[in-house]
Amino acid sequence: MNTLVTTNVGHCQTLLKNGEVVAIPTETVYGLAAHVFNDAAVGRIFELKQRPKFNPLIVHLHQMAQLDSVVRHIPKKAQKLMEHFWPGALTLILPKHPDVSDLITAGKPTVAVRMPKHPMTRALLQGLDFPLAAPSANPFTRVSPTSAKHVLHYFNGKIAAILDGGPCEVGLESTIVGFEGETPVVFRKGGIAIEALERLVGPVRLFTDNESAPQAPGMLLKHYSPRTPLIISSNIRKRLEACTDKRVGVLSFYADDFPTAETIKVLSPKKDMEEAAKGLFAALHALDALDLDLIIAEAFPEEGLGRSIQDRLRRAAH
Ligand code: TXA
Ligand code: MG
């Protein structure tokens, strides 16, 4: 059975109520969603993604009132962050409510929650009396999907439907923030820049990869990976000179003058970091479909969303 690609929100609500898995658009990336209190449906997400059970999921809701059914306590700075950034690309790790199953939290005492901004998914959630558990809609370790087409490529015939909300506005997964007491800790760099968080709540601590292996298992070093080998370079032209015998695809920030490259994807000719973030995963999907020998990606500046982009490229290169 082919997967239905649809804009019919009501139909997707019915499927979700019946315990089906449905792909949903969010402003960050597409998610693979299921009824948060239906363990069989949530279990199916893990199967579909071939995701290890130690990797917990994010709970998606549409209004603050729903928090009571999922979390036990909200630190002051978490409250401030959600009031400012929700709906939006921010996930908070909070002490979990006993009703949230260990399947979702991987047995942790905390749960990840986020209020997405995409209007179609907001409409979808508004018609449901339960939140949705949803990881990104890609098989484990692969590049996240930022369009219905990317999801279809991965899961055609395996899920009932994809709610098609067009290309994702932000294009990077949410920034994940947890708390050590009242101190915010960034577990994953994402669609909201660290600088923006710090302007609101003061200094945050950044988790290192060594720490995050046990703590935030989703932050595995190999992640977001195309099938084609990928390297990062701050001098693409020089790298190209060393690979004249190879079919090389270039992924650049704004430059396009690489005559010996087989193909070039420019993320933002006007050097706009948000535009670059938005197109990043689509460019990786497109380059990966070309059977190239190598992808050379340009190193991004470690500031603002550049840090999140660079994080994804490093994991893609691992
Ligand atoms: O933008 C997003 O966050 C997208 C859209 C669909 O909302 N979702 C997404 O989900 O990226 P996923 O499953 O690909 O990434 C969730 C991350 C994983 O790295 C997981 O380890 C982490 O959240 N996570 C979930 N619950 C956690 C917890 N209790 N403590 C620490 N990390 C947690
Ligand atoms: Mg993911």
Side-chain angles (χ1 to χ4, degrees), residues 2-311:
N2 276 346
T3 295
L4 174 73
V5 179
T6 180
T7 55
N8 186 335
V9 171
H11 181 60
C12 292
Q13 285 164 338
T14 306
L15 292 169
L16 288 161
K17 286 177 196 165
N18 291 338
E20 297 275 354
V21 172
V22 174
I24 58 167
T26 85
E27 71 282 15
T28 59
V29 301
Y30 275 69
L32 217 46
H35 188 320
V36 84
F37 298 120
N38 180 333
D39 273 3
V42 173
R44 181 92 182 99
I45 292 180
F46 282 89
E47 263 169 45
L48 283 161
K49 277 185 69 96
Q50 294 179 297
R51 176 171 175 128
K53 288 276 164 54
F54 59 72
N55 195 351
L57 307 181
I58 298 177
V59 174
H60 295 66
L61 31 82
H62 69 95
Q63 59 182 4
M64 299 284 188
Q66 290 176 298
L67 279 171
D68 291 343
S69 68
V70 225
V71 310
R72 256 191 315 105
H73 166 73
I74 301 174
K76 277 205 184 69
K77 285 181 179 170
Q79 184 72 36
K80 220 167 160 180
L81 286 166
M82 55 178 85
E83 278 167 14
H84 189 83
F85 290 109
W86 281 3
L90 177 71
T91 293
L92 295 169
I93 308 286
L94 301 171
K96 86 172 190 85
H97 188 287
D99 286 353
V100 178
S101 82
D102 283 340
L103 194 53
I104 288 183
T105 64
K108 286 169 171 294
T110 51
V111 61
V113 283
R114 150 166 137 78
M115 189 186 289
K117 192 177 196 168
H118 195 291
M120 237 178 198
T121 286
R122 287 184 64 72
L124 177 81
L125 285 164
Q126 272 155 21
L128 300 172
D129 59 3
F130 48 85
L132 293 172
S136 52
N138 51 285
F140 187 56
T141 77
R142 302 289 299 282
V143 181
S144 295
T146 52
S147 72
K149 195 181 94 188
H150 298 156
V151 182
L152 196 64
H153 171 71
Y154 286 142
F155 295 112
N156 192 11
K158 297 184 176 151
I159 55 177
I162 301 170
L163 185 59
D164 187 353
C168 301
E169 268 302 304
V170 175
L172 293 172
E173 296 86 350
S174 58
T175 299
I176 302 183
V177 178
F179 295 86
E180 287 168 346
E182 280 287 337
T183 307
V185 182
V186 173
F187 286 87
R188 176 174 75 185
K189 297 170 195 161
I192 288 174
I194 310 278
E195 292 88 336
L197 300 176
E198 292 194 320
R199 276 195 293 275
L200 191 73
V201 292
V204 301
R205 193 165 87 72
L206 291 187
F207 246 54
T208 64
D209 279 324
N210 287 344
E211 278 180 300
S212 68
Q215 288 284 341
M219 294 312 294
L220 298 170
L221 280 173
K222 178 182 162 63
H223 209 147
Y224 314 105
S225 302
R227 289 279 156 87
T228 315
L230 181 147
I231 57 172
I232 304 173
S233 172
S234 40
N235 189 340
I236 295 180
R237 226 161 276 117
K238 189 150 168 236
R239 274 292 192 163
L240 276 168
E241 279 168 24
C243 349
T244 46
D245 55 333
K246 289 198 170 100
R247 294 179 61 234
V248 181
V250 165
L251 178 63
S252 87
F253 183 6
Y254 52 84
D256 67 353
D257 48 339
F258 307 105
T260 62
E262 171 91 13
T263 180
I264 305 161
K265 292 272 174 208
V266 181
L267 290 173
S268 175
K270 60 176 195 272
K271 292 195 197 183
D272 179 73
M273 203 69 90
E274 283 181 18
E275 183 179 49
K278 181 173 176 176
L280 176 68
F281 289 151
L284 285 174
H285 280 284
L287 287 169
D288 206 20
L290 297 177
D291 266 326
L292 298 162
D293 297 316
L294 181 69
I295 298 170
I296 304 180
E298 183 164 11
F300 268 73
E302 290 276 351
E303 59 184 39
L305 289 186
R307 291 158 93 170
S308 307
I309 295 174
Q310 186 66 5
D311 173 88

